[in-house]
Amino acid sequence: EVQLQASGGGLVQTGESLSLSCAASGITFDDYAIGWFRQAPGKGREAVSCISRSDGTTYYADSVKGRFTISGDDAKNTVYLQMNNLQPEDTAVYFCNAEVNDGQGWDDYWGQGTLVTVSS
C-alpha cells in the first residue's frame, strides 16, 4: 500500500522560507513521480511542483518558478519542497501526491495536507 506522509507546514511572514517533506512508502514500481498540489481557501486544487523519481525531471507552476525548489532523497524515499520568498498568495493547504505507473496505467495517491500560512 502506497503511503505518503507530508510535513513541514506552518506560519511564516512574507519573504520567509519553509520546507515541506513528503515521505513515501510502499511504492514498488520504478516509474513514478512525487509532487505537491495546493488548495487555497475558496479555490480549486492546483499543481505546484513535481519530480520524476525515474529520471529527475521537474515541473514548477509559473507562480512558484524561481522561488520553490523540489528535490528528492532516494535513501530516505523523501521528496522536499523548499519554498523561499513566500508570499500571501502561497497560503494554502499543500498536499503530497504520487503518480505511479504500474505497467497498466497511472495511479494517483495522496498524502494528508499540511497548512502553509503566509502573513503579510
Side-chain angles (χ1 to χ4, degrees), residues 91-112:
T91 295
V93 177
Y94 285 69
F95 295 90
C96 179
N97 165 268
E99 293 188 358
V100 181
N101 184 358
D102 64 3
Q104 297 181 343
W106 292 88
D107 296 317
D108 262 331
Y109 300 90
W110 294 92
Q112 85 285 6

Side-chain angles (χ1 to χ4, degrees), residues 52-113:
S52 167
R53 304 307 290 133
S54 56
D55 65 10
T57 302
T58 58
Y59 160 84
Y60 296 96
D62 287 343
S63 59
V64 306
K65 282 181 182 176
R67 300 188 298 122
F68 291 11
T69 303
I70 193 167
S71 62
D73 184 330
D74 289 338
K76 297 181 178 180
N77 289 328
T78 299
V79 169
Y80 304 96
L81 184 68
Q82 177 65 37
M83 306 185 293
N84 296 330
N85 191 22
L86 283 161
Q87 302 297 310
E89 54 265 35
D90 296 316
T91 295
V93 177
Y94 285 69
F95 295 90
C96 179
N97 165 268
E99 293 188 358
V100 181
N101 184 358
D102 64 3
Q104 297 181 343
W106 292 88
D107 296 317
D108 262 331
Y109 300 90
W110 294 92
Q112 85 285 6

